[in-house]
Amino acid sequence: MTALSAKPAVRTAATSDYTCALVEGPWQHEFVSSGGSRFHVAVAGPDHRSAPLVLLLHGYPEFWWAWRAQIPALADAGYRVAAMDVRGVGGSDKPPSGYAVPARASDVAGVVRSLGRETAVVVGHGTGGTLAWAVAALYPGATTAVAALSSPHPARTRLSSRAAFTTAALRELAYLQVPTLPERALLRGDLVERTLALGAASPLPADVVELYKTVMRIPFAAHSAAEALRWAVRSTPRMDGRRFGTALRHPLGVPALQVHGGRDGIVRPDRADLDAMYLAPDLRYELIPGAGHYLPEEAPDEVNRLLLNWLARVAPAPR
């Protein structure tokens, strides 16, 4: 059979070896639908409508497990928590296309509805933070509030990536635009380990890094991760990218929290709030001086404290 006549592989959670991503802990694993795809979420906390929903979105090159320190802390405080594997990652479906930020924002809004809620507090880290900003801009009716960790407002990054990211991070992003090679480096090379080391203030534990590398080896996950980062660059001059950029320039009508690490090797925290302060009128900005890019893991106690303090104002849990 020739390549031209071969049928494309069906990239679904049902047929991919994703079990390594279903880490056990004080949460339950569920699968929900959105836009014709299936998404894995780890859920915890009271399952009644009076408990506000907090939806957690991981960044690259991680998966839902990056929020393992936040899930029980938020659940114990009375919140319904759902940490989601975004499109192409972990136990979620991995279709061959659909990795534009607006498409993935639609995924998130659909997951909120599939979890039985009209709105959620959307919290994202890194590239998941970009997604959280986008959900707040494109689906304000589904967003109670938005929090972005280690993630400048995408209006800033689309205007000038050099102003938002470090030189080393820009080199990695440029490398990811090359066909095929990044996928090989994610699967069999050291790209996952190198990216984690670039962003962190101090090395993450070896077993944590190894788990991220293992989950990246799930069929089609490496290509999905690369495609999402390619869209961020290649869409800038295109019409779809321009439409997205225009939508981002409208001020947000929901409260926002922006948190950065002072030793972030990927994002420049001194420039990160320049756009958000104008586009999010109700913005709280926090800096964790000794932490790097991976705030939920590098500074879990401080992140939990900041989130719970902010949530008590914007989406208080019932007593």
Side-chain angles (χ1 to χ4, degrees), residues 211-277:
L211 180 55
Y212 286 133
K213 292 168 69 175
T214 299
V215 171
M216 187 63 74
R217 297 188 189 110
I218 294 172
F220 307 114
H223 179 68
S224 299
E227 282 296 288
L229 291 167
R230 286 167 181 150
W231 184 87
V233 173
R234 298 176 183 178
S235 67
T236 302
R238 299 196 314 239
M239 187 57 68
D240 60 332
R242 292 181 182 180
R243 285 195 298 266
F244 177 54
T246 299
L248 292 174
R249 303 304 302 183
H250 297 293
L252 297 180
V254 298
L257 171 67
Q258 188 174 7
V259 187
H260 287 276
R263 298 176 59 193
D264 193 324
I266 294 175
V267 172
R268 298 178 60 182
D270 57 320
R271 302 288 186 88
D273 64 335
L274 294 182
D275 276 84
M277 64 187 300

Side-chain angles (χ1 to χ4, degrees), residues 25-283:
W27 44 69
Q28 296 80 44
H29 296 287
E30 296 183 1
F31 291 87
V32 298
S33 297
S34 175
S37 295
R38 192 172 76 150
F39 294 88
H40 166 252
V41 292
V43 296
D47 190 13
H48 52 75
R49 296 192 65 84
S50 63
L53 174 64
V54 180
L55 185 60
L56 304 174
L57 307 175
H58 64 84
Y60 163 84
E62 301 174 310
F63 67 113
W64 71 268
W65 189 68
W67 297 104
R68 61 194 177 278
Q70 286 69 50
I71 296 171
L74 295 175
D76 289 345
Y79 292 94
R80 182 64 170 172
V81 188
M84 173 183 171
D85 276 333
V86 301
R87 176 186 292 246
V89 176
S92 293
D93 281 356
K94 301 164 186 65
S97 61
Y99 294 96
V101 172
R104 292 187 294 140
S106 177
D107 293 340
V108 174
V111 165
V112 172
R113 292 189 293 271
S114 290
L115 290 170
R117 303 302 182 91
E118 296 295 325
T119 64
V121 178
V122 183
V123 181
H125 164 260
T127 54
T130 300
L131 198 51
W133 287 121
V135 174
L138 300 177
Y139 298 94
T143 314
T144 304
V146 58
L149 282 60
S150 306
S151 183
H153 194 286
R156 156 70 36 186
T157 60
R158 296 186 73 82
L159 180 65
S160 175
S161 58
R162 292 182 182 275
F165 299 111
T166 65
T167 301
L170 291 172
R171 283 198 298 266
E172 292 296 323
L173 185 59
Y175 171 67
L176 284 159
Q177 307 309 306
V178 178
T180 306
L181 292 180
E183 284 90 335
R184 293 179 182 174
L186 288 168
L187 285 170
R188 294 183 290 274
D190 66 348
L191 185 53
V192 171
E193 187 171 8
R194 193 170 74 224
T195 301
L196 294 170
L198 171 63
S202 57
L204 299 180
D207 58 337
V208 171
V209 175
E210 189 58 36
L211 180 55
Y212 286 133
K213 292 168 69 175
T214 299
V215 171
M216 187 63 74
R217 297 188 189 110
I218 294 172
F220 307 114
H223 179 68
S224 299
E227 282 296 288
L229 291 167
R230 286 167 181 150
W231 184 87
V233 173
R234 298 176 183 178
S235 67
T236 302
R238 299 196 314 239
M239 187 57 68
D240 60 332
R242 292 181 182 180
R243 285 195 298 266
F244 177 54
T246 299
L248 292 174
R249 303 304 302 183
H250 297 293
L252 297 180
V254 298
L257 171 67
Q258 188 174 7
V259 187
H260 287 276
R263 298 176 59 193
D264 193 324
I266 294 175
V267 172
R268 298 178 60 182
D270 57 320
R271 302 288 186 88
D273 64 335
L274 294 182
D275 276 84
M277 64 187 300
Y278 297 110
L279 296 173
D282 184 356
L283 173 70

